[in-house]
Structures are given as C-alpha cells and as structure tokens.
Coordinates of all heavy atoms in Angstrom, one line a residue:
M1 N 127.5 51.4 129.0 CA 127.8 51.7 127.6 C 128.4 50.5 126.9 O 129.3 49.9 127.5 CB 128.8 52.9 127.5 CG 129.2 53.2 126.1 SD 130.5 54.5 126.0 CE 129.6 55.9 126.4
K2 N 127.9 50.2 125.8 CA 128.4 49.1 125.0 C 129.5 49.5 124.2 O 129.6 50.7 123.8 CB 127.2 48.5 124.1 CG 126.1 48.0 124.9 CD 125.0 47.5 123.9 CE 123.8 47.1 124.7 NZ 122.7 46.7 123.7
L3 N 130.3 48.5 123.8 CA 131.5 48.8 122.9 C 131.0 49.3 121.6 O 131.7 50.2 121.0 CB 132.3 47.5 122.7 CG 133.6 47.6 122.0 CD1 134.5 48.6 122.6 CD2 134.3 46.3 121.8
E4 N 129.9 48.9 121.1 CA 129.4 49.3 119.8 C 128.9 50.8 119.8 O 128.8 51.5 118.8 CB 128.2 48.5 119.4 CG 128.5 47.0 119.1 CD 128.5 46.2 120.4 OE1 127.8 46.6 121.4 OE2 129.2 45.2 120.5
D5 N 128.7 51.4 121.0 CA 128.2 52.7 121.2 C 129.4 53.8 121.1 O 129.1 55.0 121.1 CB 127.5 52.9 122.5 CG 126.2 52.1 122.5 OD1 125.7 51.8 121.4 OD2 125.7 51.8 123.6
I6 N 130.6 53.3 121.1 CA 131.7 54.2 121.2 C 132.0 54.8 119.8 O 132.1 54.0 118.8 CB 133.0 53.5 121.7 CG1 132.8 53.1 123.2 CG2 134.2 54.4 121.6 CD1 133.9 52.3 123.8
N7 N 132.1 56.1 119.6 CA 132.4 56.7 118.4 C 134.0 56.6 118.2 O 134.7 57.2 118.9 CB 132.0 58.2 118.4 CG 132.3 58.9 117.1 OD1 133.1 58.5 116.3 ND2 131.5 60.0 116.9
L8 N 134.4 55.7 117.3 CA 135.8 55.4 117.1 C 136.6 56.6 116.6 O 137.8 56.8 117.0 CB 136.0 54.2 116.2 CG 135.4 52.9 116.7 CD1 135.6 51.8 115.6 CD2 136.0 52.5 118.0
T9 N 136.0 57.5 115.9 CA 136.7 58.7 115.4 C 137.1 59.6 116.6 O 138.2 60.1 116.7 CB 135.8 59.5 114.4 OG1 135.4 58.6 113.4 CG2 136.6 60.7 113.9
T10 N 136.2 59.7 117.6 CA 136.5 60.5 118.8 C 137.5 59.8 119.6 O 138.4 60.4 120.2 CB 135.2 60.8 119.5 OG1 134.2 61.4 118.7 CG2 135.4 61.6 120.8
W11 N 137.4 58.5 119.7 CA 138.2 57.7 120.6 C 139.7 57.7 120.2 O 140.6 57.9 121.0 CB 137.7 56.3 120.6 CG 138.5 55.4 121.6 CD1 139.5 54.6 121.3 CD2 138.2 55.3 123.0 NE1 139.9 53.9 122.4 CE2 139.2 54.3 123.5 CE3 137.3 55.8 123.9 CZ2 139.2 54.0 124.8 CZ3 137.4 55.5 125.2 CH2 138.3 54.5 125.7
F12 N 139.9 57.7 118.9 CA 141.3 57.5 118.4 C 142.0 58.8 117.9 O 143.1 58.8 117.6 CB 141.3 56.5 117.2 CG 141.1 55.1 117.7 CD1 140.0 54.4 117.4 CD2 142.1 54.5 118.5 CE1 139.8 53.1 117.8 CE2 141.9 53.2 119.0 CZ 140.8 52.5 118.6
S13 N 141.3 59.9 117.9 CA 141.9 61.1 117.4 C 141.4 62.4 118.1 O 140.4 62.4 118.7 CB 141.6 61.3 115.9 OG 140.3 61.5 115.6
E14 N 142.2 63.4 118.0 CA 141.8 64.7 118.6 C 141.2 65.5 117.4 O 141.9 65.9 116.5 CB 143.1 65.4 119.1 CG 142.8 66.7 119.7 CD 142.0 66.6 121.0 OE1 142.1 65.6 121.7 OE2 141.1 67.5 121.2
R15 N 139.9 65.8 117.5 CA 139.2 66.4 116.4 C 139.0 67.9 116.7 O 138.8 68.6 115.7 CB 137.9 65.7 116.2 CG 138.0 64.3 115.8 CD 136.7 63.6 115.7 NE 135.6 64.5 115.3 CZ 134.4 64.5 115.9 NH1 134.2 63.7 116.9 NH2 133.5 65.3 115.5
Q16 N 139.0 68.3 117.9 CA 138.8 69.7 118.2 C 140.0 70.5 118.0 O 141.1 70.2 118.7 CB 138.2 69.9 119.6 CG 137.8 71.4 119.9 CD 137.2 71.5 121.2 OE1 137.0 70.6 122.0 NE2 136.8 72.8 121.5
M17 N 140.0 71.6 117.2 CA 141.1 72.5 117.0 C 141.2 73.4 118.3 O 140.2 74.0 118.6 CB 140.9 73.3 115.8 CG 140.7 72.5 114.5 SD 142.1 71.6 114.0 CE 143.2 72.9 113.6
Q18 N 142.3 73.4 118.9 CA 142.4 74.1 120.2 C 143.0 75.5 120.1 O 142.6 76.4 120.8 CB 143.4 73.3 121.1 CG 142.9 71.9 121.5 CD 141.7 71.9 122.4 OE1 141.4 72.8 123.1 NE2 140.9 70.9 122.3
T19 N 143.9 75.7 119.1 CA 144.6 77.0 119.1 C 144.0 78.0 118.1 O 144.1 79.2 118.2 CB 146.1 76.8 118.8 OG1 146.2 76.1 117.6 CG2 146.7 76.0 120.0
H20 N 143.5 77.5 117.0 CA 143.0 78.4 115.9 C 141.9 77.7 115.1 O 141.7 76.5 115.2 CB 144.2 78.8 115.0 CG 144.7 77.7 114.1 ND1 145.4 76.7 114.6 CD2 144.5 77.5 112.8 CE1 145.7 75.8 113.6 NE2 145.2 76.3 112.5
C21 N 141.3 78.5 114.2 CA 140.3 78.0 113.3 C 140.7 78.3 111.9 O 140.8 79.4 111.5 CB 138.9 78.6 113.6 SG 137.6 78.0 112.5
P22 N 141.1 77.3 111.1 CA 141.5 77.5 109.7 C 140.5 78.2 108.9 O 139.3 78.1 109.2 CB 141.8 76.1 109.2 CG 142.0 75.3 110.4 CD 141.1 75.8 111.5
N23 N 140.9 78.9 107.9 CA 140.0 79.7 107.0 C 139.0 78.9 106.2 O 137.9 79.4 105.9 CB 140.8 80.6 106.0 CG 141.6 81.7 106.7 OD1 141.2 82.1 107.8 ND2 142.7 82.1 106.1
H24 N 139.3 77.6 106.0 CA 138.4 76.8 105.1 C 137.3 76.2 106.0 O 136.4 75.5 105.4 CB 139.2 75.8 104.4 CG 139.8 74.7 105.2 ND1 141.0 74.9 105.9 CD2 139.4 73.5 105.5 CE1 141.3 73.8 106.6 NE2 140.3 72.9 106.4
F25 N 137.3 76.4 107.3 CA 136.2 75.8 108.1 C 134.9 76.6 107.8 O 134.9 77.8 107.5 CB 136.5 75.9 109.6 CG 137.4 74.8 110.1 CD1 138.4 74.2 109.3 CD2 137.2 74.3 111.3 CE1 139.1 73.2 109.8 CE2 138.0 73.3 111.8 CZ 138.9 72.7 111.0
V26 N 133.8 75.8 107.9 CA 132.4 76.4 107.7 C 131.9 76.8 109.1 O 131.7 75.9 109.9 CB 131.5 75.4 107.0 CG1 130.1 75.9 106.8 CG2 132.1 75.0 105.7
F27 N 131.5 78.1 109.2 CA 131.0 78.6 110.5 C 129.5 78.3 110.5 O 128.8 78.5 109.6 CB 131.3 80.1 110.7 CG 132.7 80.3 111.0 CD1 133.6 80.4 109.9 CD2 133.1 80.5 112.3 CE1 135.0 80.7 110.2 CE2 134.4 80.8 112.6 CZ 135.4 80.8 111.5
T28 N 129.0 78.0 111.7 CA 127.5 77.9 111.9 C 127.1 79.2 112.7 O 127.9 80.0 113.1 CB 127.2 76.7 112.8 OG1 127.9 76.8 114.1 CG2 127.7 75.4 112.1
R29 N 125.8 79.3 112.8 CA 125.2 80.5 113.4 C 124.5 80.2 114.7 O 124.1 81.1 115.4 CB 124.3 81.2 112.4 CG 125.0 81.7 111.2 CD 124.0 82.5 110.3 NE 124.8 82.9 109.2 CZ 124.2 83.6 108.2 NH1 122.9 83.8 108.2 NH2 124.9 84.0 107.2
T30 N 124.3 78.9 115.0 CA 123.5 78.5 116.1 C 124.4 78.5 117.4 O 125.5 78.0 117.3 CB 122.9 77.1 115.9 OG1 122.1 77.2 114.7 CG2 122.1 76.7 117.1
R31 N 123.9 79.0 118.5 CA 124.7 79.1 119.7 C 125.0 77.7 120.2 O 124.2 76.8 120.2 CB 123.8 79.8 120.8 CG 124.5 79.9 122.1 CD 123.5 80.5 123.2 NE 122.9 81.7 122.7 CZ 123.3 82.9 123.2 NH1 124.3 83.0 124.0 NH2 122.8 84.0 122.7
L32 N 126.3 77.6 120.6 CA 126.8 76.3 121.1 C 126.5 76.1 122.6 O 126.8 77.0 123.4 CB 128.3 76.2 120.9 CG 129.0 74.9 121.3 CD1 128.5 73.7 120.4 CD2 130.5 75.0 121.1
T33 N 125.8 75.0 122.9 CA 125.5 74.7 124.3 C 126.3 73.4 124.7 O 126.9 72.8 123.8 CB 124.0 74.4 124.5 OG1 123.7 73.2 123.7 CG2 123.2 75.6 124.1
S34 N 126.3 73.1 126.0 CA 127.1 71.9 126.4 C 126.4 70.6 125.8 O 127.2 69.7 125.4 CB 127.1 71.7 127.9 OG 125.8 71.7 128.4
E35 N 125.1 70.6 125.6 CA 124.4 69.4 125.0 C 124.8 69.4 123.5 O 125.0 68.3 123.0 CB 122.9 69.5 125.2 CG 122.4 69.4 126.6 CD 122.4 70.8 127.3 OE1 122.5 71.8 126.6 OE2 122.4 70.8 128.5
A36 N 124.9 70.5 122.8 CA 125.2 70.5 121.4 C 126.7 70.1 121.2 O 127.0 69.4 120.3 CB 125.0 71.9 120.8
L37 N 127.6 70.5 122.1 CA 129.0 70.1 122.0 C 129.1 68.6 122.2 O 129.8 67.9 121.5 CB 129.8 70.8 123.0 CG 131.3 70.5 123.0 CD1 131.9 70.9 121.6 CD2 132.1 71.3 124.0
H38 N 128.3 68.0 123.1 CA 128.3 66.6 123.3 C 127.8 65.9 122.0 O 128.4 64.9 121.5 CB 127.5 66.2 124.5 CG 127.4 64.7 124.7 ND1 128.4 63.9 125.1 CD2 126.3 63.8 124.5 CE1 128.1 62.7 125.2 NE2 126.8 62.6 124.8
W39 N 126.8 66.5 121.4 CA 126.2 65.9 120.1 C 127.3 66.0 119.0 O 127.4 65.0 118.3 CB 125.0 66.7 119.7 CG 124.3 66.2 118.5 CD1 123.4 65.2 118.4 CD2 124.6 66.6 117.2 NE1 123.0 65.0 117.1 CE2 123.8 65.8 116.3 CE3 125.5 67.5 116.6 CZ2 123.8 65.9 114.9 CZ3 125.6 67.6 115.2 CH2 124.7 66.8 114.4
V40 N 128.0 67.1 119.0 CA 129.1 67.2 117.9 C 130.1 66.1 118.1 O 130.6 65.5 117.1 CB 129.8 68.6 118.0 CG1 131.1 68.7 117.2 CG2 128.8 69.7 117.6
N41 N 130.5 65.9 119.3 CA 131.5 64.8 119.6 C 131.0 63.4 119.2 O 131.8 62.6 118.8 CB 132.0 64.8 121.0 CG 132.9 66.0 121.3 OD1 133.8 66.2 120.5 ND2 132.8 66.7 122.4
E42 N 129.8 63.2 119.4 CA 129.2 61.8 119.2 C 128.7 61.6 117.7 O 128.7 60.5 117.3 CB 128.1 61.6 120.2 CG 128.6 61.4 121.6 CD 129.5 60.3 121.8 OE1 129.3 59.2 121.2 OE2 130.6 60.5 122.5
N43 N 128.3 62.6 117.0 CA 127.6 62.4 115.8 C 128.3 63.0 114.5 O 127.8 62.9 113.4 CB 126.2 63.0 115.9 CG 125.4 62.3 116.9 OD1 125.2 61.1 116.8 ND2 124.9 63.0 117.9
T44 N 129.4 63.7 114.7 CA 130.2 64.1 113.5 C 131.5 63.4 113.5 O 131.9 62.8 114.4 CB 130.4 65.7 113.6 OG1 131.2 66.0 114.7 CG2 129.0 66.4 113.7
H45 N 132.1 63.5 112.3 CA 133.4 62.8 112.1 C 134.6 63.6 111.8 O 135.7 63.2 111.9 CB 133.2 61.7 111.1 CG 132.2 60.7 111.5 ND1 132.4 59.7 112.4 CD2 130.9 60.5 111.1 CE1 131.3 59.0 112.6 NE2 130.4 59.4 111.8
G46 N 134.4 64.8 111.3 CA 135.5 65.7 110.9 C 136.0 66.6 112.0 O 135.5 66.5 113.2
R47 N 137.0 67.4 111.7 CA 137.5 68.3 112.7 C 136.6 69.5 112.9 O 135.8 69.8 112.0 CB 138.9 68.8 112.3 CG 140.0 67.7 112.3 CD 141.3 68.2 112.0 NE 141.3 69.0 110.7 CZ 142.3 69.8 110.4 NH1 143.4 70.0 111.2 NH2 142.3 70.5 109.2
Y48 N 136.7 70.1 114.1 CA 135.8 71.3 114.3 C 136.6 72.2 115.3 O 137.5 71.8 115.9 CB 134.5 70.9 114.9 CG 134.6 70.2 116.3 CD1 134.5 71.0 117.4 CD2 134.8 68.9 116.4 CE1 134.6 70.4 118.7 CE2 134.9 68.3 117.7 CZ 134.7 69.1 118.8 OH 134.9 68.5 120.0
A49 N 136.1 73.5 115.4 CA 136.6 74.4 116.3 C 135.5 75.2 117.0 O 134.5 75.5 116.3 CB 137.5 75.4 115.5
V50 N 135.7 75.5 118.2 CA 134.7 76.4 119.0 C 135.3 77.8 118.9 O 136.4 78.0 119.4 CB 134.6 75.9 120.4 CG1 133.6 76.8 121.2 CG2 134.0 74.4 120.4
V51 N 134.5 78.7 118.4 CA 134.9 80.1 118.2 C 133.8 81.0 118.8 O 132.7 80.7 118.9 CB 135.2 80.4 116.8 CG1 136.4 79.6 116.3 CG2 134.0 80.2 115.9
S52 N 134.2 82.3 119.1 CA 133.3 83.3 119.5 C 132.6 83.9 118.3 O 133.3 84.1 117.3 CB 134.0 84.4 120.3 OG 134.4 83.8 121.5
S53 N 131.3 84.2 118.4 CA 130.6 84.7 117.2 C 131.0 86.2 117.1 O 131.5 86.8 118.0 CB 129.1 84.6 117.4 OG 128.7 85.5 118.4
E54 N 130.7 86.8 115.9 CA 131.0 88.2 115.7 C 129.7 89.0 115.7 O 129.7 90.1 115.2 CB 131.7 88.3 114.3 CG 133.1 87.6 114.3 CD 133.7 87.7 112.9 OE1 133.1 88.4 112.0 OE2 134.8 87.2 112.8
A55 N 128.7 88.4 116.3 CA 127.4 89.1 116.4 C 127.5 90.2 117.6 O 128.5 90.3 118.3 CB 126.3 88.1 116.7
A56 N 126.4 91.0 117.7 CA 126.4 92.0 118.7 C 126.5 91.3 120.1 O 127.1 91.9 121.0 CB 125.1 92.8 118.6
W57 N 125.9 90.2 120.3 CA 125.9 89.4 121.5 C 127.0 88.4 121.4 O 126.9 87.6 120.5 CB 124.6 88.8 121.9 CG 123.5 89.8 122.0 CD1 123.2 90.6 123.1 CD2 122.6 90.1 121.0 NE1 122.2 91.4 122.8 CE2 121.7 91.1 121.6 CE3 122.3 89.7 119.7 CZ2 120.7 91.7 120.9 CZ3 121.3 90.3 119.0 CH2 120.5 91.3 119.6
E58 N 128.0 88.4 122.3 CA 129.0 87.4 122.2 C 128.6 86.1 122.7 O 128.2 86.0 123.9 CB 130.3 87.9 122.9 CG 131.0 89.1 122.2 CD 131.5 88.7 120.9 OE1 132.1 87.6 120.7 OE2 131.4 89.5 120.0
Y59 N 128.7 85.0 121.9 CA 128.5 83.7 122.4 C 129.3 82.7 121.5 O 129.8 83.2 120.4 CB 127.0 83.3 122.3 CG 126.3 83.5 121.0 CD1 126.3 82.5 120.0 CD2 125.7 84.7 120.7 CE1 125.7 82.7 118.8 CE2 125.1 84.9 119.5 CZ 125.1 83.9 118.5 OH 124.5 84.0 117.3
D60 N 129.5 81.5 121.9 CA 130.3 80.6 121.2 C 129.5 79.9 120.1 O 128.3 79.5 120.3 CB 130.9 79.5 122.1 CG 132.0 80.1 123.0 OD1 132.5 81.1 122.7 OD2 132.2 79.5 124.0
V61 N 130.1 79.7 118.9 CA 129.5 78.9 117.9 C 130.6 77.8 117.5 O 131.7 77.9 118.0 CB 129.2 79.7 116.6 CG1 128.1 80.7 117.0 CG2 130.4 80.4 116.1
V62 N 130.2 76.9 116.6 CA 131.2 75.9 116.2 C 131.4 76.0 114.7 O 130.5 76.4 114.0 CB 130.7 74.5 116.6 CG1 129.4 74.1 116.0 CG2 131.7 73.4 116.4
A63 N 132.6 75.8 114.3 CA 133.0 75.8 112.8 C 133.5 74.4 112.5 O 134.2 73.7 113.3 CB 134.0 76.8 112.6
F64 N 133.0 73.8 111.3 CA 133.4 72.5 110.9 C 134.2 72.5 109.7 O 134.1 73.3 108.8 CB 132.1 71.7 110.6 CG 131.2 71.4 111.8 CD1 130.2 72.3 112.1 CD2 131.5 70.4 112.6 CE1 129.4 72.1 113.2 CE2 130.7 70.1 113.7 CZ 129.6 71.0 114.0
E65 N 135.1 71.5 109.6 CA 135.9 71.4 108.4 C 135.1 70.8 107.2 O 135.2 71.2 106.1 CB 137.1 70.4 108.6 CG 138.0 70.3 107.5 CD 139.3 69.6 107.8 OE1 139.3 68.7 108.7 OE2 140.3 69.9 107.2
D66 N 134.2 69.9 107.6 CA 133.3 69.3 106.6 C 131.9 70.0 106.6 O 131.3 70.1 107.6 CB 133.1 67.8 106.9 CG 132.3 67.0 105.9 OD1 131.9 67.6 104.9 OD2 132.2 65.8 106.0
K67 N 131.5 70.5 105.4 CA 130.3 71.2 105.3 C 129.1 70.3 105.6 O 128.1 70.8 106.1 CB 130.1 71.9 104.0 CG 130.0 71.0 102.8 CD 129.9 71.8 101.5 CE 129.8 70.9 100.3 NZ 129.7 71.6 99.1
K68 N 129.2 69.0 105.4 CA 128.1 68.1 105.8 C 127.9 68.1 107.3 O 126.7 68.1 107.7 CB 128.4 66.7 105.3 CG 128.5 66.6 103.8 CD 128.9 65.2 103.4 CE 129.2 65.1 101.9 NZ 129.7 63.8 101.5
D69 N 128.9 68.1 108.1 CA 128.8 68.2 109.5 C 128.1 69.5 109.9 O 127.3 69.5 110.8 CB 130.1 68.1 110.2 CG 130.7 66.7 110.1 OD1 129.9 65.7 109.9 OD2 131.9 66.5 110.3
A70 N 128.5 70.6 109.3 CA 127.9 71.9 109.6 C 126.4 71.9 109.3 O 125.6 72.4 110.1 CB 128.6 73.0 108.8
I71 N 126.0 71.4 108.2 CA 124.6 71.3 107.8 C 123.8 70.5 108.8 O 122.7 70.9 109.2 CB 124.4 70.8 106.3 CG1 125.0 71.9 105.4 CG2 123.0 70.5 106.0 CD1 125.1 71.4 104.0
M72 N 124.3 69.3 109.1 CA 123.6 68.4 110.1 C 123.5 69.1 111.4 O 122.5 69.0 112.1 CB 124.4 67.1 110.2 CG 123.7 66.1 111.1 SD 122.1 65.7 110.4 CE 122.5 64.5 109.2
Y73 N 124.5 69.8 111.9 CA 124.5 70.6 113.1 C 123.4 71.6 113.1 O 122.6 71.7 114.0 CB 125.8 71.2 113.4 CG 125.8 72.1 114.7 CD1 125.9 71.5 115.9 CD2 125.7 73.5 114.6 CE1 125.9 72.3 117.1 CE2 125.7 74.2 115.7 CZ 125.8 73.7 116.9 OH 125.8 74.4 118.1
E74 N 123.3 72.4 112.0 CA 122.3 73.5 111.9 C 120.9 72.9 111.9 O 120.0 73.4 112.5 CB 122.6 74.3 110.7 CG 123.7 75.3 110.8 CD 123.5 76.4 111.8 OE1 122.3 76.7 112.2 OE2 124.4 77.0 112.3
L75 N 120.7 71.8 111.1 CA 119.4 71.2 111.0 C 119.0 70.6 112.4 O 117.8 70.6 112.7 CB 119.4 70.0 110.0 CG 119.5 70.5 108.5 CD1 119.7 69.3 107.6 CD2 118.2 71.3 108.2
T76 N 119.9 70.1 113.2 CA 119.6 69.5 114.5 C 119.4 70.6 115.6 O 118.4 70.5 116.4 CB 120.7 68.5 114.9 OG1 120.9 67.6 113.9 CG2 120.4 67.9 116.2
W77 N 120.2 71.6 115.6 CA 120.2 72.5 116.8 C 119.6 73.9 116.5 O 119.5 74.7 117.4 CB 121.6 72.7 117.3 CG 122.1 71.4 117.9 CD1 122.8 70.4 117.3 CD2 121.8 70.9 119.2 NE1 123.0 69.4 118.2 CE2 122.3 69.6 119.3 CE3 121.0 71.4 120.2 CZ2 122.2 68.8 120.5 CZ3 120.9 70.6 121.4 CH2 121.5 69.3 121.5
S78 N 119.3 74.2 115.3 CA 118.7 75.6 115.0 C 117.2 75.6 115.3 O 116.6 74.7 115.4 CB 119.0 76.1 113.6 OG 118.4 75.3 112.7

C-alpha cells in the first residue's frame, strides 16, 4: 500500500458512531455487507452508523450524516 492510498479522514478520526444513530442521519435501504462496509470506510468522508433495518427481514443497513455519502452508497451497492 502506498502512502497516497491511505484515506486520511479514516486514519485520523473515528467516523463510525458506536452507541447510537442521531436523528438527522440519512438511512439507506441496501443491505450492508463486509465489502460494502470496507467501501464506506475508504470512499466516504462523513460520519456513519450501522443500524438494523426495520423491514420484515432483519439485516444491517448504514446511515450517513452527509446525504451525498448516502446517495453514492446507494448508487454503488443497490
């Protein structure tokens, strides 16, 4: 890995909300996989939270503070 390949936002700050998801976060509908979570860490810059969906089938989704990150995630993984 080259130094230029390191996402500095991920390196210097804790972006994943661990204990709760604030009300202003934008929820996505696409199921979160380990590959998608890796993509979120490398390609987005704002804070995010992993939450359980409220659908009939329980699975994890991701919610983003920045709606641009949520849109990019949905376009990439849906």
Side-chain angles (χ1 to χ4, degrees):
M1 176 185 288
K2 297 179 185 177
L3 185 59
E4 297 84 26
D5 295 336
I6 296 174
N7 183 336
L8 296 179
T9 305
T10 303
W11 184 264
F12 288 114
S13 66
E14 182 65 37
R15 296 178 32 229
Q16 183 175 1
M17 304 293 292
Q18 299 291 333
T19 58
H20 71 288
C21 180
N23 292 335
H24 68 279
F25 275 36
V26 177
F27 287 83
T28 59
R29 295 182 180 178
T30 305
R31 181 184 304 260
L32 183 65
T33 63
S34 59
E35 294 87 15
L37 184 59
H38 178 72
W39 183 91
V40 166
N41 283 318
E42 293 299 317
N43 296 300
T44 63
H45 296 285
R47 294 185 305 165
Y48 66 92
V50 176
V51 294
S52 294
S53 74
E54 296 178 3
W57 300 280
E58 288 296 320
Y59 56 88
D60 289 339
V61 296
V62 63
F64 294 95
E65 184 170 31
D66 187 356
K67 66 180 176 182
K68 294 176 190 174
D69 288 339
I71 292 169
M72 186 60 83
Y73 175 81
E74 286 292 340
L75 288 173
T76 303
W77 293 98
S78 64

